[in-house]
């Protein structure tokens, strides 16, 4: 089977969030099953600068977008059994950031048109085109639109994966023809219309042959208003083609036994290095160097759905315990100033780094004993899996992928791989943090066994890649 994976970001080329991790590791696992897999993404300035010498220029063409005729270059690169295609147009993509421009709608409409028009020009015709989030949502729509006239497109099947339904690509009604180059019927017939606007993600959800969400629990949650950001009725409608497939992580990249960012490497069998990483982290972050005080870590974008309000409300209560808190992230001003305040209030016990650094993140996972992720909603979440792999026991709220990957510790039979609480409630979170810290202090052997169970979990992509393959099979029949 030929699979074309369409994404707006992928590690190691460019990244703003978890989608890049998924797009940078799932394709290799699909290819390992014997399928021919290609990935296509925009050639952003950052990619061009760092990888230019290694990219092979394939061709150029002109792409139609409504009344526009736009240059489209195509570069390729072979890596780990996967062909990576890059779509070049400097007007749209030679910019410092990936997103956040006034013309993002036009930029990604161009990308989607380019992908659609390049399909017949690629060496192998894809059986399945797998799209991700709103930036690529026009691809299933354009493919269906072309299939009415062009034989080539009739047999191409499409999948859309929802990584986070908060971002839907909403534009004014006037964009249908003039910007997106579609017949008004796509709006008036209802496919793209939502609450009077054009909603690209909704259009893809309705049009694609299969819809996937990044965890089984998120697939269920999306049918409810609390999680669906308005699209619950649409998700209920497509229930028959909706699947929840849990993300994996790149087990080679995230491996404490070989991670070059760490002061000392360690593994399930040889844990000694972790204590060194903890001491190094405490030193580096200005925390008291105390080996018997648990370090609780958060590595997170500082935005509301990550559950930070719960932390703000109860910090003074859980800091009454003998513990330290390390926070790495950036985001909303109110959380940034809260954590700066907390650091000043608890010198040597709370350490905050406002920003993001992959290397520091890995040192935090390695140095931490516990990892806090009290998300209000979390489609999948990768950090809790990375934390477990690095022996930082997760404390999570039971939502989305957190619910599917973290199983609460049961003292009576020693089961579980972390701590969790059900309701979005500060008191409940605070109580569970207390339980985790107490276990660390009072039952070190039980804590270590819990940590080991997390480290032994298999979060590799193999199982999920098989699930995606089954979905592809089911729609290609
Ligand atoms: C989004 C979600 C996150 C998920 C990631 C990869 O960033 O918010 O929960 O892990 O996509 O699918």
């Amino acid at each position: 089977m030929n699979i074309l994976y369409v994404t707006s970001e992928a590690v190691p080329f460019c990244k703003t969030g978890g989608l890049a991790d998924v797009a940078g590791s799932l394709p290799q696992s699909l290819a390992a099953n014997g399928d021919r897999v290609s990935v296509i993404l925009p050639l952003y300035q950052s990619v061009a600068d760092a990888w230019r010498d290694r990219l092979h220029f394939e061709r150029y063409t002109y792409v139609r977008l409504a009344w526009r005729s736009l240059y489209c270059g195509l570069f390729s690169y072979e890596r780990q059994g996967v062909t990576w295609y890059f779509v070049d147009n400097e007007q749209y993509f030679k910019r410092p950031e990936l997103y956040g421009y006034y013309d993002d709608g036009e930029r990604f409409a161009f990308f989607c048109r380019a992908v659609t028009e390049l399909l017949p020009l690629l060496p192998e015709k894809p059986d399945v085109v797998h799209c991700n989030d709103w930036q690529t949502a026009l691809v299933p729509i354009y493919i269906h639109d072309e299939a009415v006239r062009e034989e080539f497109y009739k047999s191409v099947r499409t999948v859309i994966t929802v990584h986070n339904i908060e971002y839907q690509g909403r534009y004014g009604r006037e964009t249908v023809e003039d910007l997106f180059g579609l017949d008004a019927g796509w709006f008036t017939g209802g496919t793209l219309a939502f609450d009077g606007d054009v909603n690209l993600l909704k259009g893809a959800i309705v049009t694609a042959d299969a819809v996937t969400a990044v965890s089984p629990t998120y697939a269920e949650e999306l049918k409810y208003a609390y999680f669906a950001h308005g699209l619950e009725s649409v998700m209920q409608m497509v229930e028959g083609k909706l699947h929840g497939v849990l993300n994996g992580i790149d087990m080679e990249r995230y491996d404490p036994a070989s991670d070059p960012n760490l002061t000392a490497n360690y593994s399930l069998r040889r844990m000694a290095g972790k204590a060194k990483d903890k001491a190094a982290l405490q030193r580096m972050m200005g925390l008291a160097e105390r080996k018997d005080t648990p370090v609780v870590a958060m590595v997170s974008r500082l935005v509301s759905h990550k559950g930070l309000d719960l932390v703000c409300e109860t910090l003074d209560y859980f800091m009454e315990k003998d513990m330290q808190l390390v926070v790495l992230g950036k985001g909303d001003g109110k959380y940034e100033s809260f954590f700066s305040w907390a650091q000043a209030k608890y010198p040597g016990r709370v350490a905050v780094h406002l920003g993001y650094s992959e290397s520091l993140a890995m040192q935090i996972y390695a140095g931490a004993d516990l990892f806090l992720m009290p998300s209000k909603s979390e489609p999948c979440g990768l950090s809790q899996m990375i934390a477990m792999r690095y022996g930082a026991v997760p404390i999570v709220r039971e939502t989305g992928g957190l619910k599917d990957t973290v199983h609460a510790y049961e003292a009576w039979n020693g089961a579980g791989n972390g701590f969790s609480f059900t309701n979005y409630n500060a008191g409940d979170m605070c109580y569970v943090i207390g339980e985790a810290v107490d276990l660390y202090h009072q039952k070190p052997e039980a804590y270590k066994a819990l940590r080991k169970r997390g480290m032994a979990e298999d979060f590799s992509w193999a199982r999920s890649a098989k699930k995606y393959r089954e979905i592809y099979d089911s729609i290609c029949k």
Side-chain angles (χ1 to χ4, degrees):
M1 182 180 282
N2 293 330
I3 301 153
L4 179 66
Y5 196 82
V6 189
T7 180
S8 57
E9 51 183 274
V11 161
F13 305 105
C14 46
K15 169 171 172 174
T16 69
L19 166 61
D21 290 303
V22 172
S25 48
L26 168 61
Q28 291 88 308
S29 295
L30 290 168
N33 287 340
D35 290 315
R36 172 129 176 53
V37 185
S38 317
V39 185
I40 191 160
L41 68 160
L43 185 64
Y44 300 105
Q45 180 180 311
S46 53
V47 180
D49 291 349
W51 294 83
R52 178 70 81 186
D53 296 346
R54 286 181 249 182
L55 304 186
H56 170 73
F57 178 72
E58 291 277 340
R59 62 174 304 140
Y60 74 89
T61 178
Y62 282 85
V63 164
R64 295 166 289 132
L65 182 62
W67 44 266
R68 304 163 190 82
S69 174
L70 302 160
Y71 172 86
C72 166
L74 184 68
F75 287 81
S76 72
Y77 179 53
E78 296 292 327
R79 186 171 191 266
Q80 298 172 340
V82 172
T83 306
W84 294 79
Y85 288 114
F86 297 88
V87 170
D88 179 30
N89 176 302
E90 295 199 344
Q91 184 198 338
Y92 290 134
F93 299 124
K94 194 175 180 197
R95 305 185 191 182
E97 304 294 331
L98 271 55
Y99 321 121
Y101 297 99
Y102 73 98
D103 58 348
D104 279 358
E106 183 174 329
R107 296 168 71 222
F108 289 100
F110 161 75
F111 176 60
C112 293
R113 270 283 357 139
V115 170
T116 309
E117 291 190 20
L118 284 166
L119 290 186
L121 306 175
L122 298 179
E124 313 241 9
K125 174 177 176 177
D127 301 295
V128 174
V129 176
H130 186 155
C131 305
N132 295 278
D133 281 351
W134 78 265
Q135 291 92 338
T136 61
L138 276 164
V139 173
I141 295 161
Y142 286 144
I143 288 178
H144 270 246
D145 196 51
E146 293 294 333
V148 174
R149 297 173 294 275
E150 303 281 342
E151 198 55 37
F152 175 89
Y153 291 94
K154 286 193 168 53
S155 58
V156 178
R157 296 286 168 263
T158 55
V159 178
I160 179 87
T161 293
V162 180
H163 293 262
N164 192 339
I165 204 152
E166 212 177 319
Y167 309 107
Q168 299 175 358
R170 290 180 74 149
Y171 295 93
R173 189 253 168 269
E174 70 284 357
T175 54
V176 179
E177 291 139 301
D178 187 59
L179 184 62
F180 300 131
L182 287 163
D183 188 87
W186 280 95
F187 187 85
T188 52
T191 308
L192 282 175
F194 195 76
D195 270 355
D197 284 339
V198 168
N199 187 315
L200 300 180
L201 186 62
K202 183 225 166 183
I205 290 169
V206 173
T207 311
D209 296 293
V211 180
T212 76
V214 289
S215 68
T217 297
Y218 193 50
E220 287 305 311
E221 288 173 344
L222 285 175
K223 296 175 201 159
Y224 297 89
Y226 184 82
F227 297 98
H229 291 266
L231 293 185
E232 58 278 6
S233 57
V234 178
M235 298 311 288
Q236 286 161 18
M237 189 173 79
V238 301
E239 189 173 15
K241 62 174 180 180
L242 173 64
H243 310 261
V245 185
L246 190 69
N247 287 333
I249 55 171
D250 182 336
M251 298 284 274
E252 280 171 31
R253 177 157 172 246
Y254 298 121
D255 184 356
S258 55
D259 190 330
N261 298 298
L262 310 190
T263 303
N265 289 109
Y266 60 94
S267 65
L268 198 50
R269 294 231 186 99
R270 291 166 182 266
M271 285 297 290
K274 188 158 171 80
K276 293 189 187 136
D277 289 318
K278 177 171 173 176
L281 179 68
Q282 288 172 321
R283 264 198 310 277
M284 184 172 51
M285 300 289 290
L287 293 166
E289 209 180 312
R290 296 188 47 190
K291 71 175 173 19
D292 295 327
T293 297
V295 172
V296 181
M298 297 186 79
V299 176
S300 174
R301 280 185 301 128
L302 302 181
V303 293
S304 141
H305 82 91
K306 295 290 180 185
L308 300 164
D309 293 329
L310 304 187
V311 178
C312 298
E313 259 171 64
T314 50
L315 181 95
D316 285 332
Y317 295 99
F318 62 72
M319 287 309 293
E320 282 175 13
K321 298 265 175 196
D322 177 23
M323 59 166 273
Q324 297 177 342
L325 181 68
V326 175
V327 180
L328 169 65
K330 59 179 176 177
D332 294 353
K334 68 171 176 177
Y335 300 120
E336 293 198 349
S337 42
F338 173 80
F339 284 115
S340 305
W341 167 85
Q343 173 167 256
K345 177 161 182 193
Y346 295 98
R349 295 189 60 211
V350 173
V352 177
H353 184 96
L354 298 177
Y356 187 75
S357 141
E358 177 92 358
S359 160
L360 180 56
M362 300 327 295
Q363 294 173 64
I364 292 176
Y365 287 115
D369 301 296
L370 295 162
F371 189 83
L372 180 60
M373 211 168 161
S375 306
K376 198 181 283 176
S377 69
E378 195 61 71
C380 178
L382 304 171
S383 321
Q384 81 279 13
M385 297 191 241
I386 301 172
M388 280 189 258
R389 182 131 169 90
Y390 281 68
V393 176
I395 305 170
V396 305
R397 191 174 93 79
E398 292 160 20
T399 182
L402 298 175
K403 188 168 173 180
D404 295 327
T405 51
V406 178
H407 311 295
Y409 171 60
E410 293 172 25
W412 58 280
N413 66 1
N417 57 15
F419 294 88
S420 69
F421 58 101
T422 312
N423 294 319
Y424 190 70
N425 176 300
D428 291 4
M429 181 199 71
C430 193
Y431 181 79
V432 175
I433 294 177
E435 273 191 330
V437 171
D438 288 348
L439 186 79
Y440 180 92
H441 283 297
Q442 292 159 14
K443 296 195 174 153
E445 290 314 313
Y447 164 79
K448 279 183 191 155
L450 177 59
R451 178 170 79 182
K452 280 199 166 174
R453 285 196 294 280
M455 290 182 76
E457 292 283 356
D458 178 5
F459 293 122
S460 64
W461 271 104
R463 204 177 327 127
S464 304
K466 220 172 125 237
K467 289 232 169 84
Y468 279 116
R469 184 56 161 80
E470 286 163 14
I471 295 169
Y472 301 157
D473 260 335
S474 74
I475 58 178
C476 285
K477 278 192 189 117

